[in-house]
């Protein structure tokens, strides 16, 4: 894991990389149309996210001395809602957080598949020796429940409605559930 950590970037660098991808579009990148939307969503999360003091106290009580490594990409809708909140929360507690760009090297995400897919974000809870202690992702349980509802019956719960409901949930929840679930895994 240390190798992946060394090849990861900070959240500020992640934002700058997103802006670069918007400015200089790669014609071979299938995600070009999603970078601007991802940046808008990340900025909305950053503007509306407030650190929950109760959650911060729970984190402090756990005496966590490790690091957080997030496997992500700025084109991902789940990531744009979750990554900023999780990063800002852990950084507020002086926990180091880095982001590994999934598309730069698939060998990391291949170790943490979700039902056989490279779903992101994946949040790896590392100890001080860079050993993976737990994994979270790609979305909070409420989002997983919405996805399950969509997959079970896309005729009565169409994709557009699922995506809309998921984004409305993310906008209202502001990362609180993701952080709560991560705290339970520490």
């Amino acid at each position: 894991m240390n190798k992946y950590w060394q090849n990861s970037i900070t959240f500020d660098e992640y934002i700058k990389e997103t802006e670069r991808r918007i400015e200089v579009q790669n014609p071979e990148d299938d995600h070009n149309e999603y970078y601007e939307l991802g940046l808008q969503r990340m900025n909305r999360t950053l503007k509306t996210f407030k650190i929950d003091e109760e959650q911060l106290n729970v984190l402090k009580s756990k005496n966590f001395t490790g690091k957080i490594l997030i496997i992500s990409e700025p084109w991902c809708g789940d990531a744009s809602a979750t990554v900023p909140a999780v990063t800002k929360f852990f950084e507020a507690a002086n926990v180091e957080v880095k982001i590994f760009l999934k598309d730069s090297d698939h060998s990391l995400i291949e170790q943490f598949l979700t039902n056989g897919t490279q779903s992101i974000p994946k949040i790896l809870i590392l100890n001080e020796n860079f050993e993976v202690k737990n994994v979270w992702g790609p979305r909070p349980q409420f989002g997983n429940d919405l996805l399950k509802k969509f997959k079970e019956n896309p005729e009565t719960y169409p994709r557009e409605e699922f995506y809309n409901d998921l984004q409305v949930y993310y906008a209202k929840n502001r990362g609180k559930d993701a952080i709560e679930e991560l705290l339970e895994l520490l």
Side-chain angles (χ1 to χ4, degrees):
M1 273 312 128
N2 197 0
K3 176 188 96 167
Y4 294 113
W5 181 265
Q6 298 308 320
N7 289 312
S8 296
I9 58 177
T10 66
F11 181 72
D12 288 341
E13 291 168 327
Y14 183 71
I15 293 288
K16 284 184 177 72
E17 176 61 18
T18 307
E19 292 167 344
R20 187 195 65 74
R21 291 181 186 184
I22 292 168
E23 273 182 44
V24 185
Q25 294 199 352
N26 176 352
E28 295 174 23
D29 188 339
D30 296 336
H31 302 106
N32 282 325
E33 64 185 290
Y34 298 109
Y35 292 120
E36 200 160 329
L37 182 58
L39 184 61
Q40 289 169 359
R41 288 176 174 161
M42 285 190 279
N43 284 329
R44 179 184 66 210
T45 301
L46 289 170
K47 281 181 191 161
T48 60
F49 178 71
K50 302 266 186 284
I51 301 220
D52 181 311
E53 290 300 320
E54 208 172 288
Q55 287 182 324
L56 203 54
N57 288 334
V58 169
L59 175 58
K60 288 176 182 171
S61 75
K62 294 194 177 246
N63 297 316
F64 178 65
T65 57
K67 301 174 184 322
I68 301 293
L69 180 59
I70 304 173
I71 308 169
S72 187
E73 278 292 335
W75 50 257
C76 174
D78 291 305
S80 62
T82 306
V83 171
V86 168
T87 301
K88 294 303 170 191
F89 174 77
F90 280 99
E91 285 178 346
N94 294 316
V95 174
E96 199 172 356
V97 179
K98 284 187 136 184
I99 301 168
F100 185 84
L101 295 170
K102 176 188 83 87
D103 293 341
S104 69
D105 177 353
H106 288 222
S107 67
L108 182 56
I109 192 66
E110 281 295 321
Q111 299 172 53
F112 303 99
L113 299 177
T114 302
N115 300 322
T117 67
Q118 295 184 0
S119 299
I120 54 174
K122 281 290 185 160
I123 300 176
L124 311 181
I125 300 169
L126 307 176
N127 68 13
E128 49 280 335
N129 298 319
F130 296 96
E131 297 165 330
V132 177
K133 290 319 216 178
N134 228 324
V135 180
W136 179 93
R139 67 191 62 80
Q141 187 57 51
F142 185 86
N144 288 331
D145 293 344
L146 289 177
L147 178 63
K148 183 179 179 208
K149 178 181 170 185
F150 160 67
K151 286 191 172 190
E152 284 175 350
N153 204 336
E155 290 80 36
T156 59
Y157 189 55
R159 180 179 304 274
E160 295 75 27
E161 193 176 338
F162 160 62
Y163 283 147
N164 182 68
D165 289 351
L166 186 60
Q167 287 307 317
V168 167
Y169 159 72
Y170 280 139
K172 288 180 178 175
N173 187 261
R174 299 181 179 124
K176 188 174 178 93
D177 288 350
I179 293 165
E180 193 70 35
E181 291 173 19
L182 281 161
L183 289 172
E184 290 173 15
L185 297 175
L186 289 180

